Amino acid sequence: KNGVPDIWIPIPVPSYEGGGHFHFSPGAVFELKVGKGKASQDQLWWIDVLANMGWYTKVCYGFEELKFETIEYLDLGKYGIR
């Protein structure tokens, strides 16, 4: 399907919303762009729809940003993974 994000991590992760309330994201989706690539309108539509459904979404420009966002989402830093 046109615009569907490149990478899906269907692992729910809690995020603190304040006041003792947590929200569980159903997972994360990433659109990976390299070089001078830009997200298409279809890709931005998917990102927006999934974000509104509670998914963590991000357009990443290069592998290093993708790696950083994945580690952040999964909170892997607490295990020494960088």
Side-chain angles (χ1 to χ4, degrees), residues 8-13 24-29 54-57 73:
W8 292 69
I9 303 174
I11 300 172
V13 173
F24 277 85
S25 167
V29 293
W55 285 76
Y56 179 82
T57 61
Y73 174 73

Side-chain angles (χ1 to χ4, degrees), residues 62-75:
F63 175 75
E64 289 301 316
E65 185 177 1
L66 173 63
K67 177 182 160 187
F68 174 82
E69 291 296 335
T70 302
I71 289 169
E72 285 293 304
Y73 174 73
L74 296 173
D75 197 19

Side-chain angles (χ1 to χ4, degrees), residues 1-5 40-43 45-46:
K1 184 92 175 141
N2 287 346
V4 174
S40 70
Q41 289 297 341
D42 286 339
Q43 290 166 333
W45 181 86
W46 273 100

